[in-house]
Amino acid sequence: MLIKSRVLFISAASALALAACGPKDAAKAATPASASTPVAKDGVAATVNGTPISTATVDMMVKERTAQGQPDSPELRKAIIDNLAMQTLVANEGVKKGLDKSDDVKRQMDLIKQSMTANAYIQEYIKANPVTDAMIKAEYDKMVGTAGGTEFKARHILVKDEAEAKSIIAKLKKDPKAFASLAKEKSNDPGSKVNGGDLGWFNPASMVPEFGAAVAKLEKGKFTDEPVKSQFGYHVIMLEDSRPITPPPFEQLKDQLKQQVQRTNMKAYLDKLKADAKIVYTSPMAAPAPAPAAPGAMAPAAGDGHDHGAAPAAATPAASK
């Protein structure tokens, strides 16, 4: 059913997404047109077998498209009117068959109305409770205060067996300069082996604990004397350099932090709204599911292409390189 993909549901996590989506799209896509459709005072853009398409509706859709980056043009307006005309034709056929009176369509219309009203309220709330520069600066200062520490530039060789890792370490003790060639030859990490095991700059907190702890103990230019075991296998690590973590400048993060503060504020408001409400689940299937078990602390970072055991990325913006 169309409503399944169109109706927007409010939750603390998606409130801002709802406000940005434009609930009017859902209504225009799912609301059957008919000869009784009201026409805005500012005129009619087209008629379809006598059913008007208001200029205000076209203007509203143009505004939404331009907000998404499309330029306002005669071609865009013509395409919008053509789409509305076809929707009107099909919807009117449905009206002739009385489908607009069916229980299923009525339920969908109720959901669309509820969704639009909820979205309108979210948008109104955001306008009435704007994020101030002081709030953004406070969030930046908090991020800077927790972003201290050191980041490292290192290489590693990942193998499955401890014996093989020890064999590699023995070879490195004879020729430390062979690290890159040994990584290309023996490492099981496809993301870094092609670069001689190079991991680039990283925060040790982004790695699995064993890896991060081992890197933090190394001296520049040294490699681990013993294999470092993690869930991925056995690592031989060489530290190339280290430096203090420097947060990006405020202006660079201002827009990102504004969205973050807005999400936090909206979540707090919606959480309170729900906490103050009386929600009674009368169907066992409707009752909230048990909270899932907390994920393991040692999970690969998404999208970095390395199998060296990076933990999930931190919520705070990454430090500038």
Side-chain angles (χ1 to χ4, degrees):
M1 298 298 257
L2 180 60
I3 191 66
K4 181 178 288 186
S5 61
R6 289 290 185 179
V7 173
L8 306 176
F9 297 94
I10 285 191
S11 69
S14 62
L16 294 180
L18 296 180
C21 283
K24 299 168 186 173
D25 275 337
K28 291 193 294 291
T31 306
S34 69
S36 63
T37 303
V39 179
K41 296 180 180 179
D42 55 350
V44 176
T47 59
V48 182
N49 292 334
T51 301
I53 297 173
S54 74
T55 303
T57 298
V58 176
D59 289 342
M60 179 176 62
M61 295 188 71
V62 168
K63 184 178 179 180
E64 291 168 357
R65 298 291 181 83
T66 55
Q68 296 171 3
Q70 291 184 249
D72 186 354
S73 67
E75 292 77 16
L76 174 62
R77 290 177 177 270
K78 174 67 163 51
I80 288 172
I81 293 172
D82 285 345
N83 287 338
L84 288 173
M86 181 55 67
Q87 178 176 271
T88 301
L89 280 170
V90 176
N92 282 347
E93 291 302 305
V95 170
K96 289 177 185 178
K97 291 183 175 294
L99 297 178
D100 59 320
K101 303 296 193 299
S102 72
D103 290 340
D104 191 41
V105 170
K106 287 180 179 178
R107 280 191 291 268
Q108 292 186 54
M109 295 302 297
D110 287 342
L111 285 173
I112 290 171
K113 180 179 179 180
Q114 184 182 70
S115 175
M116 290 179 63
T117 304
N119 276 274
Y121 180 76
I122 291 296
Q123 293 175 4
E124 182 64 25
Y125 181 89
I126 290 173
K127 290 179 183 177
N129 298 273
V131 174
T132 64
D133 287 346
M135 293 178 186
I136 301 172
K137 185 61 167 59
E139 187 68 18
Y140 178 79
D141 291 342
K142 183 170 68 175
M143 183 271 292
V144 170
T146 58
T150 304
E151 60 182 352
F152 301 92
K153 187 176 188 300
R155 295 177 185 267
H156 86 138
I157 301 171
L158 174 65
V159 293
K160 292 182 179 180
D161 301 323
E162 184 178 14
E164 185 177 7
K166 288 184 175 181
S167 174
I168 291 171
I169 290 172
K171 291 177 181 179
L172 289 173
K173 287 181 178 179
K174 294 178 181 179
D175 183 11
K177 294 181 180 179
F179 198 101
S181 60
L182 285 171
K184 290 180 181 180
E185 178 186 351
K186 298 183 178 295
S187 183
N188 293 326
D189 176 5
S192 68
K193 71 176 297 180
V194 294
N195 298 318
D198 188 5
L199 298 175
W201 288 96
F202 59 87
N203 186 323
S206 67
M207 303 296 181
V208 290
E210 302 92 340
F211 193 100
V215 169
K217 293 177 182 177
L218 283 174
E219 296 180 17
K220 182 177 177 180
K222 301 294 184 179
F223 55 86
T224 49
D225 289 329
E226 294 291 332
V228 177
K229 187 180 185 301
S230 79
Q231 68 188 87
F232 299 98
Y234 293 87
H235 307 260
V236 180
I237 310 168
M238 173 179 279
L239 177 62
E240 293 190 331
D241 205 354
S242 63
R243 65 188 182 189
I245 295 176
T246 304
F250 174 72
E251 289 301 323
Q252 182 178 328
L253 298 178
K254 187 174 181 180
D255 291 342
Q256 180 181 342
L257 290 172
K258 180 178 180 180
Q259 293 297 318
Q260 184 171 312
V261 173
Q262 202 168 57
R263 283 193 296 270
T264 300
N265 292 349
M266 181 56 67
K267 181 182 185 304
Y269 173 72
L270 293 178
D271 285 349
K272 183 178 186 305
L273 199 65
K274 184 175 181 180
D276 292 343
K278 182 180 180 181
I279 302 175
V280 180
Y281 296 97
T282 56
S283 167
M285 295 181 64
M298 299 185 295
D304 69 352
H306 297 160
D307 190 20
H308 50 73
T316 54
S320 60
K321 299 290 188 284

